[in-house]
Structure formats: structure tokens, C-alpha cells
């Protein structure tokens, strides 16, 4: 956890992979409390070599929820087996003794919180002199011995040092040690297991979390990646066993599946959050512009031995770095290219040095029975069974999706969602509808299947181009109803699921699926005469489902224009909504 000077060939980063987790500290206990302090993390003790390449890994890769850019870099060492060489630097005990302690305290910690997805294999390699008091670790005899004698599968090295106070680590830039320069140094024996887990978190690309009030990088004693609690000793907490980290770190590491995350839209939502040891939903996300807030359950347990008074739902504000800035995301004015300016110390809502605060609920944890304002929403927490918490999130726009409030088709999209005809456009989060994106033929099949599931069916057409697609069942149903024959007459052995649906084709789909709609006098559009779909277009106009495409005159239908998802919601709403 100690800081160190920059080196010319090193780049100190906020977060190597483009994610910043920062501590949210509401000032009051109830909803609508005073504004929260600004928050950020500038990762003081993260150090990596010049990131010139990652062996085919993409800096632009992202996860399905769009929360963490560069996930293939983040998860380079967080899944599977991570082999860490261990050296005893100036110690009176051997590397084998150090590894025995790590195997007891640290290995099960990561196995538990990763839910078996990460196993750390500590390999005792040898002993060497201690690192000098003013010596950069890579210049030391201990590091040089480690770099010259790596184990065959080493992904990194841990230097347990007699002279070092705290720790220093970074994620490196590749698979194998020593080429990836992925190393950690930890003082031994003071709170060795706790600090080792913290520094190994940095080797997994986890950042610090802290407020901007105290001027300390480590004023959040709830998070493994910040301060430490326990009895006061030498100016810091003395709890030697590692405990849980901010839930966004576990998600970034790949230990939480996207299906275990609930991204909340504008409508009121309720979700039961499970602690890291449980199954089910582990994290809720409230988006707020370029930032988002994460909610995670914290319950005292063997591998999260926090004081019971801290139990509840933790709240963090997360500011992702832009994908083009993953190595240069300096979002705190106090931090510029590795140099931190002096900040006058002020009173912090919670500081890990304030040991009297340990007997009090933490400001950024919502206890059972309490509510707080988070990202403009009201978050209320109730206790549930087995350490879980039921969270109600209210006070939003009421919209089912975050990209439809104020849209011309907002009411139609809401009807579509309430009718369970759509789930969204960005699974598994599905907090967006993408109203201005075009409708594909595969999506049209799904819309109609959900909208009119009781249509009479016969023998489906087995198209050659839909096998294994997410809409395969919908497409086969659509062909079995006779609503579609295919896209390549006269053969019609293809459906063309990725092709865009035009307004004329949409008219034909609806005419075949809903032939019994009430009709009045048709509109005589000027741009559909002689078209293959002219009858379908005139029928659609006669039902009142469409008036035209050029209001207020509405003399045209624009048959060749693509149908947007928002417009499709409107067509279905008018046809089926009564």
C-alpha cells in the first residue's frame, strides 16, 4: 500500500483497464440528504511497465453490460490458475514458511470470493537479501534473483520483505513473469496476509476506493483495496485477515456473471442482492450519465469478517475511463502524471484512522430499514434471508428503459414493455430499447411471436440461414403461421434474419398476422402505386395503424424506408393496444 517514486520506464495508472471505482459517502442517513463529496480513485500504488502490447488482447474489448472497458486485459490473470512465485527477502523464515501462511489465509479468500474461478498457486522459490530502504524493488538483489529464476508457469512474483512497510504492486502487461513485470512487494510479518491480498488485488487490476475529503488514499476501511480496520497499531488498522472488496471489482474480474447483475432503468425496481458467498443477483447498477453506481450486499462471514455494524448494502460511484484513455485516465485534479499535490486535511465522514468510528454504521452502507439518495434515485433496503438484502429503487423517470424518456415513441415503447413484447436491445442488462435503431427480420419475428402467439401454425419452413440464431424459434414459428415464406423466392430456403425490414415489408407482415383488424377507408398514398406490397399498405392505412410518413400532408407511405424499433412499437401499439 505504500507509494513509490515514478520510474522513467513505468507508467502509473488510475486503472490499467479503464475502470475507476470510487467511494460514495452520503452525508446524511435518509433520502434527500446533503450532496455527497466528489469521488475518484487515482491508484497511487499501481505501477506497470510501458503498455506496448498485450499479445493480441484488445484495449477496446468490453463486457456485455458496457460497464468495464478492456475486460480481456482485466481478466488476464483473474480466471483459472494464477501462479505466483514467492521469495523471502531478508527474512529469518524461508519462502516455504511464507507460502504456508499464504495457503492458509489468502488462497481460500480468493477461491471463495471468485466462487472457485480463481486459484492462486503460490510457489516457494528461495531467499535473497532484503530490499534497501531507498531502493526501487526491481533494482534489488531479491527481485533480480526472482527474475533470473522463475518457475516454469509463473505469472507473477511476490517479494516478502523484511524492510518494506506496507506494499506495492501492479498488474503488469502480459502473461509470463518476468517479461510482464508483474510483481508485488509486501512487508513481513505485519498484517502480511491482509496486505498481500490487497496487493494481489492490484495485480488483478483492482483500484483503490476512497473519498476526496481526507486526502488519504486509504480512508475506506470496508474495502480490501483501501484502508484496514482493527485495533490501532503504528497508525493503521491491524486486522490481518483479508475481507471483501467493492462488488465492481469482483464483476470486473469475471467472478460475477452478467446474468447476476441487475441494471436498473428509469422505472421503480426491486431486487434481492446476495452476498459474495451466495447465488442469484450480486450487483445492482444505477446509471447516472457518464458514471454509474453499484450496490452490493455485505454480510459478515468467514471470508468477509467485517464488524456486524457495517452490514448492509454498500454504495460505490464508478467512473469508467474512456476506452481510448485506458492508460491515461487522470480524472482527479490532484493527480497528474504520477505527482500528487498537497491537499489540506479536513474532516472525513469516515476515515480508517478514526478508530472510534468502527462502532458506527458506515456512511456509504445502507443498513436494513434505511434509505439513501443514490444517483438521483431513492434506495431503500430491507433484510432478507441468509445475509441477502431486498433493495427497492424508486424515484426515477418511470420509464422502463434509460434511452426512451422524452422520445416521440416513449408511450408506445412503454406499452410494448408492459405487454412483454420486448425485453430491450442490450441483453442481459436490457436497460435500453434503442428506439432509433432499425428492425431486422429476425427481430420482427420475435416481436410478432410475442405479440400474437396464438396464431394457427402448420409445418415450419426449415431455413438454411437461421440455425443457432437467438431468433431461430421465432423465425420457425413465423414460417409455420404462413406469415412469411422466405426472402429468396421462388426457392424460399432462406429467411435473411439480419436484413432490415422496410415499411412496406412491415405492412405485409402485419396484414398476414392480423388480417381481421377493423378497417375504414384507405389512404391513397402517392408512392405505393404498382408495388408488390400496395394492397398491404392500403390495408394498413385503412386500419388506422399508419397515417403516412410526411405529416401533416401524409400523402406518402415511404415504403422503402427502414422501420425503426420505436416506430415498430407504435405500429404494434396501434394495432393491438385498443
Amino acid at each position: 500500500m505504500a507509494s513509490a517514486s515514478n520510474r522513467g520506464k513505468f507508467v502509473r495508472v488510475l486503472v490499467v483497464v479503464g475502470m475507476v471505482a470510487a467511494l460514495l459517502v452520503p452525508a446524511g442517513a435518509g433520502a434527500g440528504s446533503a450532496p455527497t463529496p466528489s469521488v475518484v480513485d487515482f491508484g497511487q500504488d499501481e505501477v506497470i511497465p510501458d503498455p506496448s502490447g498485450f499479445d493480441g488482447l484488445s484495449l477496446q474489448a468490453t463486457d456485455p453490460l458496457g460497464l468495464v472497458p478492456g475486460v480481456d486485459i482485466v481478466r488476464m490473470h483473474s480466471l483459472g490458475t494464477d501462479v505466483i512465485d514467492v521469495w523471502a527477502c531478508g527474512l529469518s523464515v524461508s519462502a516455504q514458511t511464507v507460502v504456508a501462511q499464504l495457503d492458509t489465509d489468502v488462497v481460500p479468500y480468493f477461491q471463495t470470493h471468485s466462487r472457485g474461478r480463481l486459484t492462486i498457486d503460490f510457489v516457494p522459490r528461495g531467499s535473497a537479501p532484503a530490499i534497501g530502504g531507498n531502493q526501487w524493488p526491481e533494482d534489488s538483489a531479491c527481485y533480480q534473483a526472482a527474475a533470473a529464476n522463475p518457475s516454469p508457469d509463473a505469472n507473477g512474483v511476490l517479494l516478502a520483505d523484511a524492510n518494506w512497510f506496507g506494499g506495492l504492486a501492479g498488474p503488469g502487461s502480459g502473461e509470463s513473469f518476468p517479461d510482464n513485470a508483474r510483481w508485488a512487494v509486501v512487508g513481513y510479518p505485519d498484517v502480511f496476509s491482509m496486505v498481500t491480498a490487497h496487493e494481489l488485488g492490484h495485480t488483478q487490476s483492482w483500484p483503490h476506493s476512497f473519498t476526496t475529503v481526507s486526502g488519504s488514499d486509504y480512508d475506506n476501511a470496508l474495502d480490501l483495496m483501501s484502508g484496514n480496520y482493527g485495533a490501532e497499531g503504528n497508525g493503521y488498522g491491524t486486522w490481518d485477515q483479508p475481507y471483501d472488496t467493492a462488488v465492481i471489482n469482483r464483476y470486473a474480474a469475471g467472478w460475477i456473471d452478467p446474468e447476476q447483475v441487475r441494471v436498473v432503468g428509469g422505472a421503480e425496481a426491486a431486487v434481492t442482492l446476495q452476498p459474495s458467498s451466495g447465488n442469484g443477483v450480486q450487483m445492482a447498477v444505477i446509471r447516472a450519465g457518464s458514471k454509474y453506481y453499484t450496490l452490493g450486499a455485505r454480510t459478515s462471514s468467514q471470508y468477509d469478517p467485517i464488524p456486524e455494524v457495517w452490514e448492509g448494502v454498500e454504495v460505490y460511484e464508478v467512473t469508467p475511463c474512456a476506452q481510448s484513455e485506458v492508460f491515461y485516465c487522470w480524472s482527479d485534479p490532484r493527480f497528474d502524471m504520477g505527482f500528487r499535490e498537497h491537499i489540506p486535511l479536513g474532516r472525513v465522514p469516515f476515515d480508517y484512522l478514526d478508530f472510534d468510528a468502527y462502532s458506527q454504521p458506515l456512511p456509504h452502507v445502507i443498513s436494513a430499514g434505511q434509505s439513501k439518495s443514490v444517483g438521483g434515485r431513492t434506495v431503500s433496503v430491507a433484510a432478507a434471508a441468509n445475509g441477502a438484502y431486498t433493495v427497492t429503487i424508486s424515484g426515477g423517470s418511470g420509464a422502463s428503459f434509460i434511452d426512451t424518456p422524452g422520445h416521440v415513441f416513449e408511450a408506445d415503447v412503454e406499452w410494448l414493455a408492459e405487454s412483454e413484447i420486448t425485453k430491450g436491445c442490450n441483453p442481459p442488462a436490457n436497460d435500453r430499447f434503442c428506439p432509433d435503431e432499425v428492425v431486422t427480420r429476425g427481430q420482427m419475428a420475435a416481436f410478432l411471436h410475442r405479440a400474437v402467439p396464438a396464431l394457427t401454425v402448420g409445418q415450419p419452413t426449415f431455413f438454411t440461414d437461421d440455425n443457432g440464431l437467438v431468433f431461430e424459434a421465432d423465425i420457425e414459428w413465423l414460417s409455420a403461421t404462413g406469415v412469411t415464406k422466405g426472402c429468396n423466392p421462388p426457392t424460399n430456403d432462406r429467411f435473411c434474419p439480419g436484413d432490415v425490414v422496410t415499411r412496406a415489408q412491415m405492412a405485409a407482415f402485419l396484414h398476414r398476422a392480423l388480417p381481421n383488424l377493423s378497417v375504414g377507408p384507405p389512404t391513397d398514398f402517392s408512392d405505393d402505386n404498382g408495388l408488390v406490397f400496395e394492397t398491404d399498405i392500403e390495408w394498413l392505412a385503412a386500419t388506422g395503424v399508419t397515417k403516412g410518413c410526411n405529416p401533416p400532408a401524409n400523402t406518402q407511405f415511404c415504403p422503402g424506408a427502414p422501420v425503426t424499433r420505436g416506430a415498430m412499437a407504435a405500429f404494434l401499439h396501434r394495432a393491438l393496444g385498443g
Side-chain angles (χ1 to χ4, degrees), residues 218-244:
Y218 309 101
D219 60 6
N220 175 23
L222 184 65
D223 183 8
L224 171 76
M225 300 309 298
S226 188
N228 185 16
Y229 69 91
E232 183 175 4
N234 298 321
Y236 63 97
T238 58
W239 190 262
D240 189 44
Q241 298 303 305
Y243 44 93
D244 205 355

Side-chain angles (χ1 to χ4, degrees), residues 204-382:
Q204 302 292 354
S205 299
W206 294 354
H208 293 152
S209 65
F210 56 93
T211 74
T212 57
V213 181
S214 72
S216 167
D217 300 357
Y218 309 101
D219 60 6
N220 175 23
L222 184 65
D223 183 8
L224 171 76
M225 300 309 298
S226 188
N228 185 16
Y229 69 91
E232 183 175 4
N234 298 321
Y236 63 97
T238 58
W239 190 262
D240 189 44
Q241 298 303 305
Y243 44 93
D244 205 355
T245 186
V247 66
I248 186 62
N249 288 337
R250 292 191 287 114
Y251 176 76
W255 303 348
I256 297 174
D257 296 323
E259 294 77 13
Q260 294 178 296
V261 178
R262 175 75 180 276
V263 180
V264 179
E268 181 170 326
V271 60
T272 298
L273 294 174
Q274 301 288 340
S276 60
S277 58
N279 296 313
V281 178
Q282 299 259 320
M283 180 172 73
V285 175
I286 300 173
R287 296 188 187 272
S290 61
K291 300 179 180 181
Y292 58 86
Y293 296 84
T294 64
L295 309 176
R298 293 297 293 272
T299 302
S300 184
S301 63
Q302 179 180 2
Y303 294 109
D304 193 16
I306 59 173
E308 291 184 4
V309 72
W310 294 359
E311 292 182 331
V313 173
E314 63 178 7
V315 183
Y316 286 87
E317 181 185 81
V318 181
T319 305
C321 297
Q323 290 181 341
S324 62
E325 300 177 322
V326 292
F327 292 100
Y328 304 97
C329 185
W330 320 119
S331 58
D332 190 320
R334 300 177 302 173
F335 183 69
D336 181 23
M337 301 304 292
F339 297 98
R340 183 174 160 204
E341 298 176 3
H342 172 71
I343 308 167
L345 296 180
R347 179 164 178 77
V348 62
F350 176 81
D351 189 330
Y352 86 106
L353 295 179
D354 180 7
F355 293 94
D356 291 337
Y358 289 171
S359 62
Q360 303 297 322
L362 298 185
H364 66 296
V365 175
I366 310 175
S367 304
Q370 300 295 313
S371 298
K372 288 186 184 294
S373 178
V374 178
R377 310 290 295 277
T378 298
V379 177
S380 303
V381 174

Side-chain angles (χ1 to χ4, degrees), residues 27 57 62 112 167 356 465:
L57 298 175
T62 189
T112 299
D356 291 337
D465 59 353

Side-chain angles (χ1 to χ4, degrees), residues 559-572:
V563 178
T564 67
R565 289 170 56 85
M568 193 67 230
F571 287 132
L572 289 173

